[in-house]
Amino acid sequence: MAQEYRLKIDSLDLRNGEKREAEVDGIEHGKVLLVKLRDEVHALSPNCTHYGAPMVKGVVTGDGRLTCPWHGACFNVASGDVEDSPALDPLAKFQVTERDGAVYITGDEATIKAGRISSNVKCEAEGQEKVVIVGGGSGTIGALESLRKNGYKGAITVISREPYPPIDRTKLSKALMTDIAKLAWRDSAWYESASIDIINDEVTEVKFADKTVSTKSGKSHPYTKLILATGGTPRRLPLPGFDLDNVFVLRTVPDAEKIVAAVGESKKKKIVVIGSSFIGMEVANCLAKENEVTVVGMEKVPLERVMGAEVGKVFRSALEKNGVKFYMEAGVDKAGAALTDSSKVGSVFLKDGTQLPADLVILGVGVAPATEFLKGSQEVQLEKDGSVKTDERFAVEGLRDVWAIGDIATYPYHGPGGDGRPTRIEHWNVAQNAGRSVGFQIGTGARQAKSFIPIFWSALGSQLRYCGNTVGGYDDLVLQGKPDEGTFAAFYARGETIVAVASMQMDPIMSHSAELMRRGKMPSKSELRGGADVLKVAVPAAVEM
């Protein structure tokens, strides 16, 4: 039951845009975040509902957004509602008053302690409308949340070949977590209350003219609106020996379970990771503590293609401190069988003749769009990489009431330096925000997409934050901080325009930069070289994406 609680502060003397945490008298560990916006003070839960980041270190924008300093989740200051992924639950909002030299909030103890409120998605499906979502990943959970929150009352069916509801897939490579209860975003009761049916099956064909989806089990599912969100399929190496046992990819919970089982409880395994991009580097870092891990990469330094050589050196150094060994600028020739069991891998041979002993091999060599079910379609012409071309709203070109999101979508990118170039971005958070955008369109009937800047993060010794995209390339880098100590902000420039920002241990530079990018207010390369501090640039209300 709601009641009034006194805060352990004397007044609401804040400047517009200022944030302050305040303890709640009478509630152990109870806190709220006070934010002043347009001369009004708001009281909200103090921590992000995604991974618990302190929102007092977040970013307040002129149009009333509060952005998480870690992963870019965004909330509406006036209501606490989620505006951008990856958070799903809103922040709790409390009435705040000041009288007789004291400050009070009104709320119930349980909500103050929980630091969030549950999403109100309860719904009894009605009418003839039916959304079918093909795929069960990040884009799907974003679409589901957004559909129900934005008033869609029709039936919803999810068809996924993964035998579990949408999970936090980032925890697979970063922690090799396999417990569905800890990975799943929502429990079965949530889907039931929202009238969402999840079917474990594989789509084999879409008959767009008939508006039906056919599955491997022989069933046909009608739709009025269709969202394609099938994600990516891990690539394998078409080289001798890589069909042996104990050669793994990592995309699903069963993939992680197989790796964990191969490592075993005793650990101390020789593990070769092929690929020095994000998945390979994350899983190498995760396994390095109790195993002998070697990373094989084609670049000069890890992540060079995306992050550049200077920043790539930082990641290599961080993982080397954790015991990871590297063979860079290396080509793979083949895999050899183990001497004790010819069915299992025992070594990896590089093209220069080097032989790396291996109890198991993990491939992190990229993913291909999972669009096999569309290859025979007359209505959809796949791009050269197998992706589906969409417009800014993620609507599939040439089709009505069909959208594609996530790893399979190539869409016009309008962030800094993008100039509308067709771009496919394999970021977990991009998929979820795209799903939120499509859900918003279907739920409200809007024709305008919700704009967002791509954001991702990675666990590479310390936590990496990244925003923007280098679809048009970059030709210069402004590096601030102490890279040798793993503390830096890297600003990627194309001409004078900053097109992407990466940071480690310098929060909230990434989140602040993302909000500035969204508004076309990011400092130029010359301004940054001249000493401009991104965090001192106010974030205005107007959006220019």
Side-chain angles (χ1 to χ4, degrees):
M1 184 175 181
Q3 66 181 76
E4 203 169 61
Y5 292 93
R6 183 171 180 171
L7 301 184
K8 295 182 179 181
I9 57 172
D10 296 328
S11 72
L12 294 175
D13 184 21
L14 281 77
R15 302 183 306 275
N16 276 322
E18 186 179 357
K19 308 176 296 297
R20 183 184 303 168
E21 270 192 1
E23 293 183 20
V24 181
D25 196 17
I27 297 180
E28 187 176 8
H29 305 303
K31 289 183 180 180
V32 295
L33 179 71
L34 301 174
V35 183
K36 189 169 185 178
L37 181 70
R38 304 187 193 104
D39 299 325
E40 182 179 355
V41 177
H42 302 265
L44 301 150
S45 305
N47 297 98
C48 180
T49 61
H50 176 227
Y51 281 177
M55 297 302 289
V56 71
K57 296 182 179 180
V59 180
V60 177
T61 70
D63 57 344
R65 288 160 53 103
L66 175 62
T67 301
C68 169
W70 291 358
H71 306 126
C74 180
F75 304 87
N76 185 295
V77 171
S79 66
D81 289 341
V82 177
E83 296 213 345
D84 280 347
S85 302
L88 298 182
D89 287 333
L91 297 173
K93 180 78 191 303
F94 308 99
Q95 180 183 340
V96 58
T97 55
E98 183 177 16
R99 66 174 184 271
D100 302 326
V103 179
Y104 301 85
I105 62 166
T106 301
D108 64 88
E109 183 175 355
T111 302
I112 294 170
K113 286 183 173 180
R116 66 178 68 205
I117 57 174
S118 298
S119 301
N120 183 18
V121 296
K122 191 171 183 178
C123 173
E124 291 288 341
E126 59 186 41
Q128 300 302 309
E129 287 286 309
K130 181 179 182 180
V131 171
V132 170
I133 305 178
V134 183
S138 175
T140 294
I141 191 65
L144 294 174
E145 294 271 344
S146 185
L147 281 164
R148 288 302 189 222
K149 288 178 183 176
N150 285 293
Y152 178 74
K153 300 294 185 183
I156 301 176
T157 296
V158 176
I159 305 173
S160 173
R161 58 186 177 185
E162 296 182 66
Y164 39 78
I167 61 169
D168 186 348
R169 201 180 301 278
T170 65
K171 292 178 179 178
L172 296 183
S173 57
K174 293 174 174 64
L176 283 174
M177 189 178 290
T178 59
D179 186 344
I180 297 295
K182 295 179 179 179
L183 288 167
W185 283 113
R186 300 298 192 192
D187 60 20
S188 58
W190 185 90
Y191 293 98
E192 184 177 348
S193 71
S195 295
I196 296 169
D197 295 324
I198 298 183
I199 297 171
N200 178 209
D201 205 344
E202 183 174 349
V203 170
T204 55
E205 182 184 12
V206 180
K207 296 179 181 178
F208 294 103
D210 298 335
K211 287 199 167 185
T212 60
V213 172
S214 302
T215 66
K216 194 173 183 179
S217 67
K219 295 182 179 179
S220 179
H221 300 270
Y223 67 83
T224 58
K225 292 179 171 58
L226 178 66
I227 303 174
L228 304 175
T230 43
T233 301
R235 298 183 189 275
R236 291 185 174 272
L237 291 179
L239 297 172
F242 284 96
D243 56 351
L244 290 165
D245 290 344
N246 279 13
V247 176
F248 304 108
V249 294
L250 181 55
R251 179 77 182 184
T252 66
V253 174
D255 292 337
E257 288 173 338
K258 291 173 185 176
I259 293 171
V260 171
V263 172
E265 293 184 5
S266 60
K267 311 289 194 304
K268 298 181 180 178
K269 295 294 193 297
K270 291 181 172 62
I271 302 172
V272 175
V273 177
I274 299 177
S276 58
S277 195
F278 290 102
I279 296 297
M281 291 286 283
E282 287 177 355
V283 74
N285 188 57
C286 173
L287 289 167
K289 185 176 181 181
E290 298 179 89
N291 300 283
E292 187 177 316
V293 179
T294 300
V295 171
V296 178
M298 297 179 66
E299 304 166 294
K300 290 182 179 179
V301 296
L303 300 164
E304 181 181 16
R305 183 180 63 83
V306 178
M307 310 298 296
E310 285 184 84
V311 176
K313 290 177 184 176
V314 176
F315 305 137
R316 175 171 180 164
S317 176
L319 266 66
E320 284 178 333
K321 290 176 182 177
N322 291 341
V324 177
K325 297 178 182 178
F326 286 89
Y327 284 81
M328 301 306 298
E329 296 184 273
V332 176
D333 184 41
K334 63 181 180 180
L339 296 177
T340 55
D341 185 344
S342 61
S343 68
K344 293 182 178 180
V345 73
S347 57
V348 172
F349 292 86
L350 305 183
K351 287 186 176 179
D352 66 1
T354 301
Q355 180 178 359
L356 303 174
D359 296 309
L360 62 147
V361 174
I362 301 171
L363 302 178
V365 292
V367 300
T371 53
E372 297 86 353
F373 67 101
L374 294 173
K375 286 183 178 177
S377 172
Q378 298 298 312
E379 294 91 344
V380 175
Q381 184 69 42
L382 296 177
E383 300 294 288
K384 289 182 179 180
D385 63 356
S387 63
V388 179
K389 192 173 184 179
T390 78
D391 63 14
E392 287 86 351
R393 300 185 304 112
F394 301 101
V396 177
E397 293 191 345
L399 292 172
R400 183 178 176 84
D401 295 330
V402 181
W403 293 262
I405 58 177
D407 290 359
I408 68 169
T410 292
Y411 72 101
Y413 178 62
H414 290 287
D419 302 323
R421 287 181 180 84
T423 308
R424 187 171 74 87
I425 302 177
E426 298 172 357
H427 298 168
W428 184 89
N429 204 39
V430 170
Q432 193 176 126
N433 270 323
R436 287 181 55 82
S437 179
V438 172
F440 172 77
Q441 294 170 54
I442 295 173
T444 64
R447 299 286 297 172
Q448 183 73 24
K450 295 191 73 174
S451 65
F452 61 88
I453 291 292
I455 286 175
F456 73 84
W457 60 94
S458 187
L460 300 172
S462 297
Q463 293 293 315
L464 168 71
R465 330 280 194 206
Y466 184 100
C467 68
N469 190 264
T470 56
V471 55
Y474 65 93
D475 51 35
D476 207 350
L477 174 69
V478 180
L479 196 57
Q480 299 177 351
K482 300 178 179 179
D484 292 343
E485 298 177 16
T487 301
F488 68 86
F491 301 90
Y492 296 85
R494 182 165 164 253
E496 282 295 307
T497 302
I498 301 301
V499 297
V501 178
S503 71
M504 264 186 165
Q505 301 189 84
M506 292 187 71
D507 297 333
I509 281 179
M510 182 280 290
S511 293
H512 198 100
S513 297
E515 291 290 4
L516 291 174
M517 286 179 174
R518 191 165 171 262
R519 292 159 173 81
K521 299 300 181 182
M522 190 69 189
S524 68
K525 177 181 74 174
S526 295
E527 288 171 330
L528 289 168
R529 283 242 164 91
D533 183 348
V534 167
L535 296 180
K536 292 183 179 179
V537 180
V539 182
V543 174
E544 297 188 9
M545 271 188 73

